[in-house]
Amino acid sequence: MKQDSTRNSAYTVDCEDYVHVVKFNPFESGDACSLIAYGGNNYVVVGTCRFQEEDAEVEGMQYKTLRTFHHGIRVDAIAWSPETRLDALPPRIRFCTAASDRKLRLYTSDLQDKNEFKTFDGHSDYINDLVFAPKEGQEVASVSDDHTCRVWDLEGNEKAHFVLCSPGMSVCWHPEEPFKLMVAEKNGTIRFYDLVTQQAILSLECEQKPLMSADWCLKNNLKIGAVAGSDWLIWDVARSSYPQDKRPIHVDRARLFRWSRVNENLFATTGYPGKTNTQLLVHHLGHPQPILTGTAAVGSGLTWHRTLPLCAVGGDHKIFFWVSEM
């Protein structure tokens, strides 16, 4: 494994606009290709990717746009629905966005004539994150600067409402824990809510702020990771409400934390966008230094491929892809 290797992205895809957010579909969609969605200043593009790391007949990577959805306003977050299927007849694409007008938009398309969207109103401030219920996809949870976490049905009705002590930065829903929601707050507290009783059942503490991003490890549901200040922090929920491990990483401030979907010891973080370059770091818990360092021109967003140790970051008219070792 190469130690702290700085490298250019392995692949790039050119985009018509600045990419604010990029998201691989985390669910099986019945097709060999991976679905990816990215959002710009007023549209969402859905496309497919295939990489040589998974298919020897592909040279580098293949990317194809399936559809561009008019959004009319800047896209701030995207969540995929597990109901998305490319092997259905007709195919079904379903995702939800958060936008700068404090609304959620649920899009459903058959990639032909049927293209619908519904707007969910209720948040009174900026929406930072959203996620679909991972099993059936019949609910969406969102967190906002308005100090709430809300759970919606697909008609836009509010099914649950949790009052937070500070802005909600991240919300996660684990497929092995369908009745629990993880909510990370900017003040450094991460809480788990029981969706049946609608009560908080467990909390973790950063002991530092601002917490900007947190994630629930797919491969080990006892592991939680976050970035706060310039550090990454990892918790083992079974052991303590305080971090088991933490390390300073980004010189300025860390912005995003994402666990790999294929290895419980692999995760990525990004620094704060806004300077000329955004730093992407890929970390392995067995290694003292990052195993990969990448830079993207004013990058934003961070997402891992469903089955490969490969992550993507959006940027200025581009998406950048990096491949790391396991």
Side-chain angles (χ1 to χ4, degrees):
M1 213 178 239
K2 298 184 201 69
Q3 287 294 320
D4 199 21
S5 45
T6 301
R7 58 183 106 152
N8 294 332
S9 55
Y11 313 111
T12 57
V13 166
D14 291 323
C15 310
E16 279 122 66
D17 193 359
Y18 184 85
V19 179
H20 291 288
V21 57
V22 58
K23 197 70 178 272
F24 276 115
N25 180 10
F27 305 108
E28 165 63 60
S29 65
D31 192 86
C33 294
S34 298
L35 280 163
I36 193 165
Y38 64 90
N41 286 322
N42 52 44
Y43 66 86
V44 176
V45 177
V46 169
T48 58
C49 302
R50 191 101 175 113
F51 298 91
Q52 66 183 16
E53 283 76 10
E54 56 189 335
D55 181 348
E57 292 181 10
V58 173
E59 271 189 53
M61 88 170 273
Q62 283 171 353
Y63 169 79
K64 178 180 157 208
T65 293
L66 295 180
R67 190 169 197 98
T68 300
F69 296 85
H70 184 69
H71 195 258
I73 190 165
R74 190 186 72 214
V75 185
D76 291 327
I78 299 173
W80 281 97
S81 164
E83 291 190 288
T84 293
R85 300 297 302 186
L86 288 176
D87 57 353
L89 283 172
R92 175 189 242 181
I93 298 286
R94 179 171 275 170
F95 60 90
C96 194
T97 63
S100 51
D101 62 358
R102 309 165 184 179
K103 292 177 171 52
L104 300 175
R105 288 168 175 77
L106 174 70
Y107 286 80
T108 306
S109 170
D110 64 3
L111 298 176
Q112 290 151 20
D113 310 323
K114 183 189 161 200
N115 294 288
E116 305 169 352
F117 84 90
K118 288 194 184 80
T119 305
F120 300 2
D121 287 309
H123 281 298
S124 62
D125 207 336
Y126 196 80
I127 300 162
N128 292 309
D129 196 15
L130 73 165
V131 65
F132 273 86
K135 291 286 191 210
E136 312 291 326
Q138 295 306 298
E139 291 172 313
V140 176
S142 56
V143 288
S144 162
D145 280 354
D146 68 9
H147 295 207
T148 67
C149 170
R150 299 169 197 240
V151 181
W152 318 77
D153 68 15
L154 299 189
E155 297 301 314
N157 304 307
E158 209 175 275
K159 309 302 282 181
H161 181 119
F162 302 108
V163 177
L164 312 177
C165 299
S166 68
M169 302 305 290
S170 296
V171 59
C172 299
W173 213 326
H174 200 289
E176 289 164 28
E177 304 265 12
F179 300 109
K180 280 186 200 165
L181 210 52
M182 186 205 91
V183 175
E185 294 190 41
K186 199 168 190 174
N187 67 3
T189 301
I190 300 171
R191 279 195 189 83
F192 292 83
Y193 292 92
D194 183 316
L195 290 169
V196 180
T197 63
Q198 298 199 6
Q199 298 293 316
I201 46 176
L202 176 73
S203 71
L204 308 175
E205 291 300 334
C206 270
E207 299 189 292
Q208 62 194 78
K209 53 191 179 187
L211 182 154
M212 296 307 291
S213 170
D215 197 18
W216 195 346
C217 183
L218 178 71
K219 287 293 181 192
N220 179 346
N221 63 355
L222 296 174
K223 272 187 177 173
I224 307 295
V227 285
S230 56
D231 301 359
W232 61 251
L233 307 98
I234 309 275
W235 290 260
D236 177 340
V237 176
R239 290 172 67 171
S240 171
S241 60
Y242 294 100
Q244 192 188 349
D245 205 352
K246 75 172 193 176
R247 216 159 289 167
I249 32 159
H250 292 279
V251 184
D252 39 4
R253 228 183 345 149
R255 176 64 190 92
L256 294 171
F257 182 108
R258 298 277 187 270
W259 289 105
S260 145
R261 307 193 64 79
V262 294
N263 182 331
E264 66 169 84
N265 292 312
L266 195 62
F267 61 96
T269 59
T270 60
Y272 229 79
K275 299 188 174 161
T276 49
N277 281 325
T278 298
Q279 194 180 39
L280 163 85
L281 296 174
V282 176
H283 314 265
H284 190 287
L285 284 174
H287 289 257
Q289 298 297 322
I291 60 169
L292 186 154
T293 303
T295 54
V298 285
S300 52
L302 172 61
T303 184
W304 283 93
H305 190 281
R306 194 176 67 83
T307 55
L308 293 173
L310 179 151
C311 60
V313 171
D316 187 5
H317 292 74
K318 279 186 170 34
I319 301 170
F320 303 94
F321 299 85
W322 281 272
V323 183
S324 72
E325 295 93 351
M326 293 277 273

